Amino acid sequence: MSETAELRTMLAVALEEARAGLAEGGVPIGAALFAADGRVLGRGHNRRVQDGDPSMHAETAAFRAAGRLRGYRRTTMVTTLSPCWYCSGLVRQFGIGRVVVGEAETFQGGHHWLAEHGVEVVVLDDADCVALMRGFIAERPEIWFEDIGE
């Protein structure tokens, strides 16, 4: 399997999580943390609306679901949307080595900053991720702008 195909397979896990979040009435952002061998260590979706917890972003949910590890340098965080500053900080704090971004068209988070600080960043420009976020932003702008702090 090519690297691009592997990354798309990993993104499918995060996209499944994003759709689950939307079905629950939340923000459709999903993420998954993968081991170097491609195993899913943890997965989750944005739950800030469902839980009333502004810190429960998708990357945070996936990270928490993974549990404690000896190190994170060889892990990959896959997220449907460019990570916000909060989630970018999580990646830097724990030394996650690679971030795969489904799309950065609807939101330019901290992925450029991560790349500048040695994190390998791959942006896939996935049409399904873009369509999911555009639809949500059009239907629920008040939740979207609350989530990104505007």
Side-chain angles (χ1 to χ4, degrees), residues 85-143:
W85 290 108
Y86 169 69
C87 295
S88 294
L90 180 142
V91 168
R92 285 286 317 277
Q93 174 67 33
F94 292 96
I96 294 170
R98 179 168 66 165
V99 174
V100 176
V101 176
E103 69 104 344
E105 187 175 312
T106 60
F107 179 71
Q108 287 275 328
H111 71 272
H112 292 296
W113 176 75
L114 289 171
E116 290 169 3
H117 288 88
V119 177
E120 179 187 350
V121 176
V122 179
V123 179
L124 295 176
D125 294 320
D126 183 79
D128 290 336
C129 291
V130 173
L132 187 61
M133 283 312 302
R134 280 194 176 149
F136 178 78
I137 292 166
E139 291 175 23
R140 305 286 308 272
E142 73 288 355
I143 298 295

Side-chain angles (χ1 to χ4, degrees), residues 27-29 46 48-49 81-82 103 106-108 133 136-150:
V27 181
I29 303 170
N46 186 300
R48 50 170 296 285
V49 172
L81 186 65
S82 178
E103 69 104 344
T106 60
F107 179 71
Q108 287 275 328
M133 283 312 302
F136 178 78
I137 292 166
E139 291 175 23
R140 305 286 308 272
E142 73 288 355
I143 298 295
W144 171 246
F145 290 117
E146 175 188 319
D147 191 52
I148 64 167
E150 295 200 10

Side-chain angles (χ1 to χ4, degrees), residues 43-55:
R43 55 190 287 168
H45 51 272
N46 186 300
R47 296 195 47 83
R48 50 170 296 285
V49 172
Q50 300 93 310
D51 295 351
D53 179 351
S55 70

